[in-house]
Amino acid sequence: MKKIASDVLFMNVDYLSREFLRQTGQKFTDYLTKLRITKAKALLKNASYEKIYVVAEQVGFSNNPQYFVQLFKAATGQTPKAWAKMQQASEKET
């Protein structure tokens, strides 16, 4: 958010953070995490990734794939690998 605030919007990061929360009802980091998890689900569903760190890298967690797994599990109740297997199994049933 700091980079967006200063380099793109030319605003103070604290002001932008407060405005984002006021207008959306959620913190920027929560919003960004939801977007990343949604993108990760699409990647896991539409392609057969053997390595979760590749998905983590593609959604912005290249420096910490374990943290990506933690966030994914918190959001879905499953690890990315377990979620992908469940999706593949349900697609085979249909």
Side-chain angles (χ1 to χ4, degrees):
M1 178 174 239
K2 185 177 181 179
K3 186 164 180 66
I4 294 169
S6 63
D7 296 350
V8 178
L9 300 173
F10 307 104
M11 295 179 164
N12 178 287
V13 69
D14 294 328
Y15 173 76
L16 182 59
S17 179
R18 283 191 307 272
E19 277 300 301
F20 191 89
L21 179 61
R22 187 181 69 76
Q23 291 187 22
T24 66
Q26 57 186 331
K27 294 179 182 179
F28 179 76
T29 54
D30 295 339
Y31 173 78
L32 183 58
T33 299
K34 287 178 187 175
L35 283 177
R36 288 174 165 173
I37 298 300
T38 300
K39 177 67 174 175
K41 286 178 178 179
L43 290 171
L44 290 166
K45 192 173 185 178
N46 295 326
S48 60
Y49 287 98
E50 293 182 21
K51 305 292 183 190
I52 297 303
Y53 73 85
V54 174
V55 175
E57 185 176 291
Q58 290 186 352
V59 297
F61 290 99
S62 59
N63 60 337
N64 198 343
Q66 284 77 23
Y67 184 57
F68 163 70
V69 172
Q70 288 176 336
L71 289 176
F72 192 94
K73 189 171 183 178
T76 65
Q78 298 178 309
T79 64
K81 194 169 210 161
W83 188 89
K85 284 183 182 180
M86 185 185 75
Q87 294 299 311
Q88 291 169 357
S90 68
E91 284 182 13
K92 288 180 183 178
E93 291 176 3
T94 55

